[in-house]
Amino acid sequence: MTHNLKKTFAILSLAIFGSAILYNCEPDPDSLGEQLFNKDAAKGEEVSYPIIAYNINNNDTVRSDDSKLITGLSGTGVALSAGVLGSFTEGQFGMQKASYVTQLRMPVDNFDFNGDNAKIDSVVLVVRPPANTMDDTYYIADSIKAPGAYDKNDFMVGTETVPVSIEKKSYPVRKYGKIGGASKSMTINVHEVTTFLDANNESFQRSNANVGTGELLGSGVFDGNVSTVTVTKKSDNSNLFTGNLGFRIKLSNTDFFKTHIIDKKGKPELQDASNFTRYFKGIKLSVQETDRYLFQFSPDDMELIMYYKYDKTENGVATRPQTTLKFNLGNLNAHIGQYEYDRTTSKVKDVLNAINKTDGDPKLYVQGMGGPSIGLQIPDETINKLKELFAKDKIGIVGAKIRMYADPLTWKNTHSVDGDRKFTLVPLVLKDGKLDYSNLTFSSDVAAGLNMYIYSKKTDTTPEYYDFVVTKTLKNIIERPATATAAELENRPLLVNLGTFVKNSQGAAAGAKFTTRAIDMNRAIFVGSDASNANKIQLMVTYATKNIK
């Protein structure tokens, strides 16, 4: 079902919101908005009102299967995905560790290994960075680090050794966390998965999925760089090997692949994908350390390659050529981002244990990948004041925004090489007293084409603040136009999360519930409903009163 959802998403998102939905530009004489007023006929005024802002505890879990690891759609409608690996610990949010679980499949049913007496030379797992096609992924830096070329005189080609020239180019990945020094490197472990990953089971769609692991298949020390490798034969300059951009982990447990793959030739385990995914249930990538950094990679571009030799007789001549078996780790398989947290000594633990939805919280904590969210409520008192101004003074709301200041005393965004955070804002939906992420809808402002893509834009001021446009949302509540839906007429709470709306190939948002929240590595702390703080969160309304002569 997960894979059908992903295919359905890819098709639907090409059609939904292909262009911005514009609202009526010819308003009634009594309607709100800047269309009514011009510089000669109106007097504008900006007024600030308090906001009830509070923390939302998501219990450190988020849906993180392959239908939620999507960053966008390519021009051909193919879903672009990203996963997260790594770990990071700091005092405000505690420890966060990201692992990744995936199924894998044989390239064809009843694989015959090209012949008899197959023997493994090596098994390599290649982890690749996200495709540089969407602006919401974390790109590989343009600069090349530590390029190098060297000669090797004993490079094995089949059964002979030849002199070669090896060229390696390395590129740093984008990191979130501790960047250099002793934190530069971390160990990535690859384990066998012992639990069948049933994509139709909701328990395997979330970041806290209980997945068992078995044998350690191999480990590699990742230094924060991905590389390309080219091997050229010196005698004739022919290309012997090209390793595309990625991080290669040599899996040392070749006995596992002999007994689990080669020895199963012709047996039911390799008969088809259904049998195979229940037999060899998958692999898990995890980091050994708890305090390094997080980085993104491309799940669909991962490769697991088994290099082996086999007996071949041609024209009476017996040889042992080398070939490869490339397992399929792409989007036909179940994928799960697994996220683990330890909040024991963190500040956020106390904050989430004392949430005040009535008066608001003085500090607001927000984190991607299942961490806390922020809830915003415009007080009824404010709504009533604006309704009274509309009825008596015929005000017209030119603009409205919620301004949220970062808290410089508790948090500085020094952990990301990007230094930029993006947010989504949608009306909050509750089901049985819990947040219902499956039924989210766009706010009136996003649906109207205002701030369609990145809901809030970081400013260059000090202290740093973010503005969330709510002009159309407020207009509907105050004016109550006949065209507004019943939901738009309500003063609903608003939900703020880290991430961006996933975009289709035309650049339009695919739907309110499709965001990059499940893979957003950022976190932030903001000033909330703190009356004693000059930078408290506030609703800023610009309205004009028409001069009647």
Side-chain angles (χ1 to χ4, degrees):
M1 181 177 178
T2 300
H3 312 301
N4 291 334
L5 280 173
K6 192 169 182 180
K7 291 176 182 177
T8 302
F9 163 71
I11 295 170
L12 289 178
S13 57
L14 290 172
I16 300 174
F17 292 94
S19 60
I21 303 173
L22 300 178
Y23 56 90
N24 187 4
C25 293
E26 297 293 336
D28 296 331
D30 289 334
S31 68
L32 303 176
E34 61 186 326
Q35 297 97 331
L36 271 178
F37 303 97
N38 57 58
K39 290 184 293 184
D40 297 325
K43 180 181 179 181
E45 183 177 359
E46 183 178 83
V47 181
S48 296
Y49 298 94
I51 285 280
I52 299 172
Y54 54 91
N55 292 284
I56 295 175
N57 189 349
N58 293 306
N59 298 311
D60 289 338
T61 180
V62 63
R63 184 166 178 178
S64 59
D65 60 343
D66 55 351
S67 70
K68 294 298 181 181
L69 300 179
I70 297 173
T71 60
L73 293 178
S74 70
T76 58
V78 176
L80 303 172
S81 302
V84 181
L85 276 176
S87 63
F88 179 37
T89 301
E90 43 80 20
Q92 294 292 337
F93 288 87
M95 190 279 294
Q96 177 184 21
K97 180 179 283 191
S99 304
Y100 174 75
V101 174
T102 181
Q103 287 178 324
L104 67 164
R105 300 170 187 235
M106 298 290 285
V108 296
D109 294 340
N110 285 318
F111 192 80
D112 66 0
F113 300 95
N114 299 95
D116 298 323
N117 195 26
K119 183 178 180 180
I120 297 174
D121 289 330
S122 63
V123 182
V124 176
L125 176 69
V126 186
V127 180
R128 303 195 188 284
N132 295 357
T133 54
M134 302 296 291
D135 62 9
D136 297 333
T137 59
Y138 286 46
Y139 298 169
I140 292 300
D142 294 331
S143 60
I144 300 174
K145 289 197 173 181
Y150 60 95
D151 294 337
K152 185 175 176 64
N153 294 321
D154 58 350
F155 189 84
M156 290 293 298
V157 180
T159 58
E160 65 173 330
T161 59
V162 298
V164 298
S165 175
I166 300 175
E167 183 179 27
K168 180 179 179 180
K169 296 179 179 179
S170 296
Y171 304 78
V173 298
R174 292 295 176 99
K175 307 174 184 69
Y176 190 96
K178 294 178 171 61
I179 304 299
S183 302
K184 176 182 178 182
S185 299
M186 58 185 169
T187 302
I188 298 178
N189 293 324
V190 183
H191 282 88
E192 166 203 14
V193 167
T194 57
T195 305
F196 173 61
L197 305 178
D198 184 359
N200 296 318
N201 188 329
E202 290 185 5
S203 64
F204 292 107
Q205 297 172 354
R206 301 197 67 82
S207 58
N208 60 349
N210 186 13
V211 177
T213 56
E215 292 192 44
L216 176 65
L217 304 182
S219 301
V221 176
F222 181 61
D223 66 356
N225 297 305
V226 287
S227 304
T228 61
V229 178
T230 304
V231 180
T232 305
K233 190 175 181 180
K234 297 193 75 173
S235 61
D236 59 5
N237 288 325
S238 60
N239 179 271
L240 297 178
F241 174 80
T242 298
N244 294 329
L245 194 65
F247 170 60
R248 299 172 67 85
I249 304 173
K250 187 174 182 179
L251 303 185
S252 56
N253 194 347
T254 54
D255 286 344
F256 176 91
F257 288 90
K258 176 184 181 301
T259 57
H260 283 72
I261 304 299
I262 289 180
D263 291 352
K264 297 299 180 180
K265 176 182 176 180
K267 296 183 179 180
E269 290 87 338
L270 306 190
Q271 181 178 341
D272 55 35
S274 178
N275 282 7
F276 187 77
T277 54
R278 284 167 174 77
Y279 162 63
F280 188 176
K281 299 176 178 65
I283 58 174
K284 176 178 179 177
L285 281 68
S286 61
V287 299
Q288 194 163 293
E289 297 78 9
T290 59
D291 190 13
R292 292 295 188 268
Y293 51 85
L294 306 170
F295 71 96
Q296 288 187 338
F297 67 97
S298 177
D300 291 342
D301 292 329
M302 287 175 58
E303 288 186 299
L304 182 60
I305 308 168
M306 188 176 84
Y307 297 87
Y308 68 95
K309 295 186 180 72
Y310 64 97
D311 289 342
K312 180 179 181 181
T313 301
E314 190 172 27
N315 298 325
V317 179
T319 59
R320 291 275 295 168
Q322 186 188 65
T323 188
T324 61
L325 186 165
K326 294 186 178 181
F327 294 90
N328 179 354
L329 280 74
N331 59 17
L332 292 176
N333 298 287
H335 305 309
I336 308 170
Q338 280 194 308
Y339 309 140
E340 175 188 352
Y341 294 90
D342 184 354
R343 311 283 195 188
T344 306
T345 60
S346 67
K347 294 291 182 63
V348 73
K349 176 186 175 182
D350 296 332
V351 169
L352 296 180
N353 284 333
I355 295 173
N356 186 344
K357 293 185 179 180
T358 303
D359 302 315
D361 294 327
K363 298 288 176 65
L364 305 172
Y365 285 67
V366 61
Q367 184 179 23
M369 298 168 59
S373 305
I374 296 173
L376 305 177
Q377 178 69 67
I378 302 174
D380 289 339
E381 181 183 356
T382 298
I383 296 298
N384 292 333
K385 284 181 181 179
L386 290 171
K387 284 183 176 179
E388 185 178 350
L389 287 172
F390 172 67
K392 290 184 176 180
D393 300 336
K394 300 298 182 183
I395 68 164
I397 294 180
V398 176
K401 57 194 174 186
I402 295 173
R403 177 161 293 177
M404 194 163 65
Y405 283 88
D407 182 14
L409 298 180
T410 54
W411 185 260
K412 290 184 179 179
N413 190 33
T414 59
H415 300 287
S416 172
V417 296
D418 284 323
D420 191 16
R421 292 169 292 204
K422 300 172 183 176
F423 299 86
T424 60
L425 182 144
V426 295
L428 192 150
V429 178
L430 292 175
K431 183 178 181 181
D432 299 327
K434 297 181 180 179
L435 270 177
D436 185 6
Y437 280 100
S438 63
N439 289 309
L440 296 180
T441 58
F442 284 125
S443 72
S444 302
D445 296 272
V446 172
L450 307 176
N451 268 337
M452 173 69 89
Y453 311 130
I454 301 169
Y455 206 99
S456 176
K457 186 176 182 181
K458 174 180 171 295
T459 69
D460 296 324
T461 63
T462 302
E464 173 186 304
Y465 66 82
Y466 293 75
D467 283 340
F468 296 83
V469 175
V470 291
T471 306
K472 182 68 172 174
T473 298
L474 194 60
K475 285 163 64 72
N476 284 332
I477 298 170
I478 303 303
E479 181 185 0
R480 306 184 69 80
T483 55
T485 65
E488 288 177 326
L489 297 176
E490 298 176 3
N491 180 23
R492 291 183 292 172
L494 300 171
L495 173 67
V496 175
N497 270 315
L498 275 159
T500 61
F501 292 119
V502 170
K503 292 176 279 188
N504 62 24
S505 57
Q506 282 77 43
K513 65 181 180 179
F514 297 114
T515 75
T516 61
R517 171 175 170 255
I519 52 174
D520 193 292
M521 304 182 291
N522 280 283
R523 63 200 69 188
I525 302 173
F526 293 94
V527 180
S529 301
D530 184 355
S532 65
N533 195 319
N535 293 329
K536 60 183 176 295
I537 190 169
Q538 51 198 307
L539 171 68
M540 304 177 71
V541 182
T542 301
Y543 61 81
T545 304
K546 190 170 184 180
N547 295 327
I548 301 175
K549 297 180 180 180

